[in-house]
Amino acid sequence: MPRTKRRQGTPLGPHSSPAVVSRPQDAWDVKPDNSYAPFVHSPRGLGPEGAAGPSPASDDGLLARAQRLGYGSAPLHPLSRAVRDLEFEDWMLRCDQAQAFRSFKGTPFTYVDTGPGLRALAAKLKRERIFAVDLENHSLHSYQGFLCLMQISTRTEDFIVDCLALRREIGPALGGIFADGTKVKVIHGANSDVLWLQRDLGIYVANLFDTGQAARALNLPKFGLAFLLQHYCNYNTDKRHQMADWRVRPLPGPLSLYARADTHFLLYIYDRLKMELSARRSEVLDSVLEDMPPNYPKDLVGAVLWQSAVISLQMYEKSAFTETSYLDYYYKQRVTFDPKQLAVFAGLFAWRDAKARDLDESPEAVLARTQLVDLSRGPKKTNWNGHDAKAAALHVAKVCARKDNFSASHQEEVCEVIASSVKQDISHGSKRVSGPSAERGRRAATEPSLTGEDKCEAGPVGPSAPQGPVVARARQVSEMWGTLDQTRTYRGDARVDGVLASLKLPFLQRGDSAAAVGEKKSPQEDADSKLSAREEGPKVSEGDIRAWADAKAASGENESSSGKSSKSGALPQSLSKRYQISKSRNQRPAKLDGLGTSKPASFDYSAAREQLKSRKHGKKRQQNAVAQSFYAIPDENLVKPAKRRKQPTTGNRSMTYK
């Protein structure tokens, strides 16, 4: 199923959800280690084969590639040599026919929550050579998260293992089976599942087949499990249970069916994907073939097994917290804070992480993301410039009262953190930051756009300069665009032409003598420009020039026939519609010239009523005098509108045989 994020369930308070009275981790003998110390891996259930230890990183190309892709940071995987030296049987590489899945009613189902039931499941899995696995995790009310369910399906049976009741027993019972390279473990989207198995159960996986990687190799429209279920099995999952609280006990029927469906069809999907991978003749990319051991096939099936092996070599690590961890989280919020607001943001971020570790809660449950941003922004009027204890308390009470969470009952601590943080100014850059966030922060703090005299006033700029608040200065003169018209303001919906009108853009100027765009002209200059544009006439296309030249050579006529002298070599005017109308008006009788210039007479309402009555009785509409004279004047260049074609008489025949 698609991996669930932090927001799981619908919490009513800091430790409860609708059907969960107490937190499961409170009853565990071994509490989760949320300290800043590195995570200690403790493999369970490994026999002498898995206990041989990892091979050196220099000799293990598979582990080296996993590290380059970000899967694990140290060569400590106990199965690195076993994964590298896997021997694939013929049935693992190709499939001639997919084995059909059974219905839910026709498939036995077992809910395992006792020791004897778990041992019986382990005995059945030892006799199988392939099985499907999926996990359900909860992370809203736990700092690191914990497993709630493990779904396992064979060709004939379905199982759901209660990871809350059997947390200490699953690893020793199933660890050796998951590490057995002769058995194929089919998991969809195993990136998180592999880490969760190591964190809670001490289980490490060998011979993994990730159906999500197979979907990517086939370039399917979507790679999620819901799409594969609908595409291959015609089964639609109920998305309402995707973000369910899997701590609920006893497990409701709809949640049990939803969890069971994640693995019930997965082996059939595995067969179908392997058949399509074997049928494809696509070449494997060189980047995938890099460092691939010789025992992995050099085809698409081998590429999927290789990518799955790289994923299986991940090593779980606890989330690290440093003095600059707030910067990565800050840049994801898409907000802009001043130094005081950023100082409050950093203080609250550190406070909620410490509280989450102490209470074994997620940071989001202690202080939500929206609340963290709103508290850091401060009151609307001051924004923490001029700190007022009363205004701060009111602002904290207003923001924390939105939800019934941890911060609502600890407003005094929040106020103390804000009061101690607002005294500091944190710039967006820091010499102690490393990585992409450091580069973004350092550019914002140490590379402001200052040139000329501003550099002298600002002092030294660079990593050695003192870290203080950065002030952006607006320049009124640009070295490239010249002086900007700052008296004009534009709204978000203003046209681009209006914005360009306020800039002296060199590439928008027409010649040296032309005025810049947006420069105001005097009335005389405006009139001269219009006159020159009128004398130039409309633009002439290449077709008009060719037609005019042919007509002149044939008839020998010159351009003086229009009554106006023209220079030698002058080109004819374009035969555009606007030109045709203007030419016809110049050629119409003189008696019509005064129609548009004479003073309009008063409107005759009686004549208008008579005209309306005549139209109602079906009389022919009279054309006005200007239109009559327009069509009466012969003009070889005037294109008259074509008359409407009369429909032919078809009789009883259809239009197909007209």
Side-chain angles (χ1 to χ4, degrees):
M1 62 172 295
R3 299 275 67 82
T4 55
K5 304 298 182 182
R6 283 286 185 183
R7 289 187 174 274
Q8 297 172 331
T10 307
L12 295 178
H15 307 307
S16 62
S17 65
V20 178
V21 179
S22 61
R23 302 191 308 170
Q25 63 265 41
D26 295 337
W28 294 343
D29 297 336
V30 179
K31 304 297 182 182
D33 182 15
N34 298 326
S35 64
Y36 300 98
F39 181 80
V40 179
H41 288 265
S42 56
R44 299 176 183 175
L46 298 183
E49 301 83 2
S55 59
S58 59
D59 299 335
D60 193 354
L62 183 61
L63 184 60
R65 176 172 174 79
Q67 295 175 9
R68 287 197 299 271
L69 296 178
Y71 298 139
S73 61
L76 300 175
H77 200 285
L79 302 178
S80 60
R81 179 175 298 175
V83 172
R84 181 193 60 182
D85 300 335
L86 282 174
E87 296 181 2
F88 299 100
E89 301 180 14
D90 185 68
W91 66 271
M92 299 180 184
L93 304 178
R94 59 184 55 88
C95 179
D96 298 330
Q97 184 177 2
Q99 183 174 343
F101 56 86
R102 300 182 180 181
S103 63
F104 283 107
K105 294 183 179 180
T107 304
F109 167 69
T110 305
Y111 185 84
V112 181
D113 58 350
T114 61
L118 182 61
R119 289 188 289 271
L121 171 62
K124 293 181 180 180
L125 292 180
K126 289 180 180 180
R127 296 190 295 267
E128 299 288 339
R129 62 179 186 177
I130 182 174
F131 56 91
V133 183
D134 190 58
L135 303 172
E136 302 298 342
N137 183 72
H138 179 83
S139 57
L140 178 59
H141 294 292
S142 175
Y143 188 81
Q144 300 182 59
F146 53 83
L147 288 177
C148 298
L149 296 178
M150 174 189 291
Q151 305 97 282
I152 298 178
S153 293
T154 63
R155 297 285 187 181
T156 57
E157 293 186 68
D158 294 336
F159 303 90
I160 292 184
V161 182
D162 191 345
C163 296
L164 299 180
L166 303 173
R167 180 179 177 86
R168 305 294 298 176
E169 303 178 31
I170 297 177
L174 304 181
I177 299 175
F178 277 82
D180 189 357
T182 62
K183 303 179 184 298
V184 178
K185 277 68 66 174
V186 182
I187 304 178
H188 181 84
N191 300 71
S192 300
D193 299 73
V194 168
L195 300 179
W196 294 341
L197 289 173
Q198 298 175 11
R199 179 195 63 193
D200 293 350
L201 308 177
I203 292 178
Y204 298 80
V205 184
N207 199 351
L208 170 68
F209 188 96
D210 192 337
T211 54
Q213 297 297 326
R216 288 172 172 82
L218 294 172
N219 198 19
L220 297 181
K222 296 181 180 180
F223 310 137
L225 180 58
F227 172 78
L228 298 182
L229 290 174
Q230 197 279 332
H231 180 68
Y232 291 108
C233 308
N234 196 23
Y235 180 82
N236 296 323
T237 57
D238 193 349
K239 291 297 182 181
R240 294 178 300 175
H241 306 305
Q242 184 176 0
M243 307 302 292
D245 190 347
W246 297 102
R247 302 176 300 170
V248 178
R249 297 294 183 273
L251 192 66
L255 292 184
S256 177
L257 181 62
Y258 178 83
R260 182 183 175 188
D262 290 342
T263 56
H264 179 79
F265 306 93
L266 200 55
L267 294 182
Y268 173 78
I269 295 175
Y270 161 78
D271 293 340
R272 292 288 303 272
L273 291 174
K274 197 163 54 174
M275 292 174 60
E276 295 185 16
L277 290 171
S278 302
R280 293 285 182 92
R281 297 297 181 184
S282 304
E283 296 182 359
V284 182
L285 299 177
D286 295 337
S287 59
V288 180
L289 296 176
E290 183 182 2
D291 299 332
M292 180 184 291
N295 52 312
Y296 282 79
K298 304 303 185 291
D299 54 6
L300 285 182
V301 176
V304 173
L305 292 172
W306 167 250
Q307 295 292 345
S308 302
V310 172
I311 293 176
S312 66
L313 288 183
Q314 296 181 90
M315 296 294 290
Y316 176 76
E317 296 178 355
K318 292 191 293 186
S319 58
F321 184 85
T322 61
E323 295 180 358
T324 56
S325 297
Y326 70 94
L327 283 177
D328 292 328
Y329 195 79
Y330 166 72
Y331 289 125
K332 295 179 182 179
Q333 308 310 314
R334 299 178 180 269
V335 295
T336 303
F337 287 161
D338 58 26
K340 288 189 178 298
Q341 292 174 332
L342 189 59
V344 176
F345 183 89
L348 291 175
F349 183 83
W351 172 81
R352 79 165 191 167
D353 183 84
K355 284 294 181 181
R357 292 175 182 268
D358 184 39
L359 300 173
D360 193 22
E361 289 279 349
S362 67
E364 188 72 15
V366 174
L367 188 66
R369 178 188 60 84
T370 55
Q371 293 177 323
L372 176 60
V373 173
D374 292 343
L375 288 174
S376 303
R377 186 175 287 112
K380 294 183 178 180
K381 295 183 178 180
T382 61
N383 293 337
W384 303 125
N385 294 322
H387 178 62
D388 185 3
K390 184 177 180 180
L394 293 176
H395 179 65
V396 171
K398 181 179 179 181
V399 174
C400 294
R402 297 179 184 176
K403 296 181 180 180
D404 184 16
N405 57 6
F406 179 81
S407 60
S409 58
H410 293 74
Q411 298 183 15
E412 295 183 359
E413 295 185 28
V414 175
C415 291
E416 293 178 1
V417 173
I418 294 176
S420 60
S421 301
V422 79
K423 300 177 182 179
Q424 309 175 24
D425 289 346
I426 298 181
S427 62
H428 292 248
S430 176
K431 293 184 293 185
R432 295 172 295 182
V433 188
S434 59
S437 301
E439 294 300 328
R440 291 192 297 266
R442 189 176 294 109
R443 284 197 297 267
T446 64
E447 298 182 5
S449 301
L450 302 179
T451 59
E453 300 176 356
D454 294 336
K455 284 186 177 181
C456 300
E457 297 177 0
V461 177
S464 60
Q467 300 295 333
V470 179
V471 180
R473 302 188 180 185
R475 297 183 58 84
Q476 299 181 358
V477 179
S478 174
E479 296 179 356
M480 180 175 182
W481 311 118
T483 306
L484 305 180
D485 186 5
Q486 300 184 1
T487 60
R488 301 182 61 179
T489 57
Y490 303 96
R491 297 182 179 178
D493 57 349
R495 293 185 177 181
V496 179
D497 297 340
V499 178
L500 295 179
S502 65
L503 303 176
K504 294 184 178 181
L505 304 180
F507 51 82
L508 293 182
Q509 297 178 1
R510 299 183 58 185
D512 298 335
S513 60
V517 179
E519 184 178 356
K520 296 183 179 179
K521 299 180 180 180
S522 61
Q524 183 63 25
E525 293 177 351
D526 193 9
D528 295 343
S529 61
K530 292 182 179 179
L531 180 60
S532 61
R534 192 184 304 112
E535 291 177 354
E536 290 179 2
K539 296 181 180 180
V540 182
S541 63
E542 182 180 355
D544 297 335
I545 298 174
R546 188 178 295 106
W548 168 77
D550 296 340
K552 183 176 181 181
S555 60
E557 296 180 355
N558 51 28
E559 299 174 335
S560 60
S561 58
S562 60
K564 297 182 180 180
S565 61
S566 60
K567 299 180 182 180
S568 60
L571 299 179
Q573 296 182 348
S574 176
L575 302 180
S576 62
K577 185 176 180 181
R578 180 177 298 179
Y579 166 68
Q580 295 171 6
I581 297 176
S582 62
K583 184 176 181 181
S584 62
R585 288 179 179 175
N586 293 334
Q587 295 177 351
R588 61 192 178 189
K591 63 180 181 179
L592 300 177
D593 293 340
L595 293 179
T597 58
S598 60
K599 185 177 181 180
S602 58
F603 186 76
D604 190 355
Y605 291 92
S606 59
R609 282 191 290 269
E610 292 296 334
Q611 186 178 5
L612 290 175
K613 292 179 181 180
S614 63
R615 289 184 180 180
K616 292 181 180 180
H617 292 290
K619 293 183 179 181
K620 186 178 181 180
R621 184 175 57 182
Q622 299 295 333
Q623 296 180 345
N624 55 59
V626 177
Q628 292 179 5
S629 63
F630 180 83
Y631 293 111
I633 300 174
D635 190 353
E636 58 182 1
N637 294 330
L638 183 61
V639 181
K640 297 181 180 180
K643 295 183 179 180
R644 184 175 182 181
R645 182 182 177 185
K646 185 177 180 180
Q647 293 292 340
T649 304
T650 59
N652 295 329
R653 295 179 299 170
S654 65
M655 296 299 293
T656 307
Y657 304 97
K658 65 179 181 179

